[in-house]
């Protein structure tokens, strides 16, 4: 197949490639990096996977804020491990993205210039220790609900990365919930701290799962390609149904007066989400957007000498290897 045939859609050959591709998707076959794929499929995956990677990396910041102030050695070790896992998730996802022909430098550039998004949730501040509990319980909880269906996504490298990520997220969710359990069993002040964290993180956690299906611009096509296996609203409902009993079990109140079990639908009905707040945060006007970006860009700039030294070392080794071989 010539490059021209691949680039020029509309030819009989490219229509046949497209038909074969669609048939593979229907048969639930995994698409691998070297397989033919429509350009839009490639771009959509770069968009979603890179935003996911950026979210993992920026997501280290709110929790990183508490590593030095964790209340015990045990809590500190668990938090350190969690934050390190998030760096690892970012790295798998950047690598998976690179298989689609975009470089790591380009991906970072998109994040640092604000061209690429990252999850709205990481633009909220972590003001008390209870926020470490709320993030693990709610943010990782929502992330698992979103990511378990992605283990079955159509692009092979993304699906395989998600299997490992989900195993680790499950530990993260448990460590967060356990912090909340302990706080609710503690002094009245500790219980109040847990409730306050739930009050602040509940709505942003619901928003994190993306705009409503009616507002979502990518869901329809992404579902056809089996990139997304469930819609944003389906995932949100699943998250609410799973989380409300967990809150009740430890005596915390979900901050939603309209929340009630619906016997007919067998789901919880819930109150209106403030979508204006969500879009403000996505557009860069959340409480910590500027701080998060400054931290990432600063880390990138301060790390330049490390990257240069690593590259110089690698080049030196390649040169001496070549000499040995010749
Ligand atoms: N924040 O048409 P849709 C984690 C954008 S990882 C910011 O519905 P789509 C682990 C969206 O990009 C958390 N922007 O889009 C952890 C699009 O704009 P674009 C991240 C958002 O892609 C835990 C526009 O709105 N997880 O938490 C958000 O079909 C604890 C229209 O939206 C993933 O990335 C948002 N919340 O559905 C780490 C999972 N929602 O790109 C540390 C993979 C939507 O056209 C600590 N991603 N937008 O400019 C997905 O499943 C999907 O991309 C969705 C959005 C569901 C997030």
């Amino acid at each position: 197949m010539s490059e021209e045939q691949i680039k020029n859609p509309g030819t009989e050959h490219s229509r046949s490639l497209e038909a074969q591709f669609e048939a593979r998707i229907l048969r639930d076959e995994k698409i691998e990096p070297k397989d033919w794929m429509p350009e839009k499929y490639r771009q959509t995956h770069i968009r979603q996977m890179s935003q996911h990677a950026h979210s993992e990396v920026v997501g280290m910041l709110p929790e990183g804020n508490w590593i030095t102030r964790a209340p015990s050695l045990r809590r500190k070790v668990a938090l350190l491990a969690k934050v390190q896992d998030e760096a690892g998730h970012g790295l798998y996802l950047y690598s998976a993205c690179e298989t689609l022909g975009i470089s790591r430098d380009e991906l970072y550039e998109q994040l640092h210039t604000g061209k690429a998004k990252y999850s709205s949730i990481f633009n909220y501040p972590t003001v008390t220790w209870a926020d470490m509990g709320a993030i693990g319980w709610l943010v990782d909880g929502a992330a698992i609900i979103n990511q378990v269906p992605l283990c079955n996504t159509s692009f092979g490298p993304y699906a395989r990365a998600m299997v490992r990520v989900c195993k680790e997220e499950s530990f993260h969710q448990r460590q967060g919930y356990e912090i909340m359990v302990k706080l609710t069993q503690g002094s009245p002040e500790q219980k109040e701290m847990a409730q306050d964290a739930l009050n602040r993180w509940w709505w942003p956690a619901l928003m994190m799962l993306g705009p409503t299906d009616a507002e979502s611009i990518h869901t329809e096509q992404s579902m056809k390609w089996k990139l997304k296996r469930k819609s944003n609203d389906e995932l949100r409902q699943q998250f609410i149904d799973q989380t409300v009993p967990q809150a009740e079990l430890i005596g915390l109140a979900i901050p939603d007066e309209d929340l009630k079990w619906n016997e007919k639908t067998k789901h919880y009905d819930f109150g209106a989400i403030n979508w204006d707040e969500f879009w403000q945060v996505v557009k860069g006007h959340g409480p910590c957007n500027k701080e998060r970006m400054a931290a990432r860009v600063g880390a990138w700039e301060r790390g330049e000498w490390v990257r240069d030294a690593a590259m110089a070392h690698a080049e030196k080794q390649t040169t001496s290897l070549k000499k040995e071989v010749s």
Side-chain angles (χ1 to χ4, degrees):
M1 145 192 33
S2 75
E3 215 168 292
E4 181 50 35
Q5 281 171 319
I6 297 173
K7 276 188 195 153
N8 187 3
T11 64
E12 202 171 313
H13 186 71
S14 68
R15 275 196 297 274
S16 135
L17 285 173
E18 185 118 23
Q20 284 171 37
F21 173 85
E22 298 295 346
R24 293 186 66 192
I25 295 278
L26 276 179
R27 288 197 299 270
D28 268 336
E29 276 178 32
K30 289 279 173 265
I31 307 299
E32 297 298 337
K34 290 200 168 133
D35 295 345
W36 187 90
M37 62 185 80
E39 183 56 19
K40 269 193 164 174
Y41 178 92
R42 198 176 73 84
Q43 289 302 340
T44 294
H45 276 75
I46 292 177
R47 179 189 65 79
Q48 179 167 322
M49 285 157 61
S50 66
Q51 289 183 172
H52 194 165
H54 299 326
S55 304
E56 297 282 356
V57 170
V58 176
M60 290 157 63
L61 296 168
E63 289 169 300
N65 181 34
W66 278 90
I67 291 173
T68 55
R69 291 173 290 160
S72 69
L73 185 58
R74 178 174 169 266
R75 293 288 182 209
K76 191 179 178 113
V77 169
L79 188 61
L80 265 172
K82 180 181 191 300
V83 172
Q84 218 166 24
D85 285 351
E86 281 147 13
H89 300 172
L91 296 182
Y92 313 146
L93 286 162
Y94 282 129
S95 300
C97 230
E98 283 175 299
T99 67
L100 289 170
I102 185 160
S103 71
R104 190 81 60 107
D105 280 358
E106 281 174 272
L107 294 168
Y108 287 144
E109 169 82 8
Q110 290 178 355
L111 173 68
H112 297 159
T113 56
K115 195 175 157 216
K117 294 186 169 75
Y118 60 88
S119 183
S120 50
I121 193 79
F122 302 118
N123 292 304
Y124 290 85
T126 43
V127 294
T128 73
W129 170 252
D131 290 358
M132 298 305 97
I135 290 184
W137 174 33
L138 303 174
V139 178
D140 285 275
I144 295 172
I145 285 190
N146 168 271
Q147 287 167 190
V148 166
L150 289 175
C151 295
N152 212 9
T153 191
S154 60
F155 185 54
Y158 196 19
R160 290 188 287 275
M162 282 301 108
V163 172
R164 179 154 178 195
V165 167
C166 282
K167 284 187 186 153
E168 293 175 351
E169 299 290 24
S170 155
F171 153 73
H172 297 169
Q173 197 269 353
R174 279 156 195 238
Q175 72 85 39
Y177 190 60
E178 202 234 342
I179 292 175
M180 296 306 257
V181 171
K182 279 280 183 279
L183 287 173
T184 55
Q185 291 168 345
S187 65
E189 289 81 6
Q190 285 170 322
K191 186 162 183 186
E192 204 177 301
M193 235 166 78
Q195 181 63 55
D196 169 63
L198 171 58
N199 293 349
R200 285 179 293 105
W201 289 92
W202 176 253
W203 292 102
L206 299 191
M207 295 172 197
M208 172 188 167
L209 292 157
T212 61
D213 293 352
E215 294 282 319
S216 166
I217 46 175
H218 300 296
T219 297
E220 194 183 340
Q221 181 60 69
S222 292
M223 298 274 277
K224 280 188 194 149
W225 279 331
K226 298 185 179 167
L227 161 56
K228 279 171 97 162
R229 293 289 189 150
K230 288 189 177 180
S231 76
N232 302 354
D233 284 338
E234 282 177 289
L235 295 171
R236 195 167 7 255
Q237 187 68 58
Q238 194 182 331
F239 172 71
I240 293 170
D241 291 348
Q242 172 183 298
T243 312
V244 172
Q246 293 170 352
E248 281 169 359
L249 194 69
I250 55 174
L252 292 178
I254 302 283
D256 179 357
E257 283 178 4
D258 297 320
L259 185 85
K260 59 172 187 306
W261 178 252
N262 184 328
E263 201 43 55
K264 245 196 203 156
T265 60
K266 303 280 180 212
H267 292 295
Y268 281 94
D269 291 336
F270 54 96
I273 293 174
N274 183 349
W275 290 113
D276 184 47
E277 173 182 324
F278 170 74
W279 289 115
Q280 284 301 320
V281 175
V282 171
K283 284 179 193 153
H285 312 304
C288 300
N289 294 60
K290 287 196 175 68
E291 190 182 324
R292 301 290 182 242
M293 265 312 95
R296 286 312 316 154
V297 173
W300 176 252
E301 286 169 356
R302 285 192 305 278
E304 191 177 359
W305 70 271
V306 181
R307 294 191 298 278
D308 288 348
M311 287 309 288
H313 179 67
E315 270 166 34
K316 207 173 150 196
Q317 280 206 318
T318 316
T319 317
S320 62
L321 260 176
K322 273 185 189 160
K323 268 187 198 158
E324 267 176 43
V325 172
S326 61

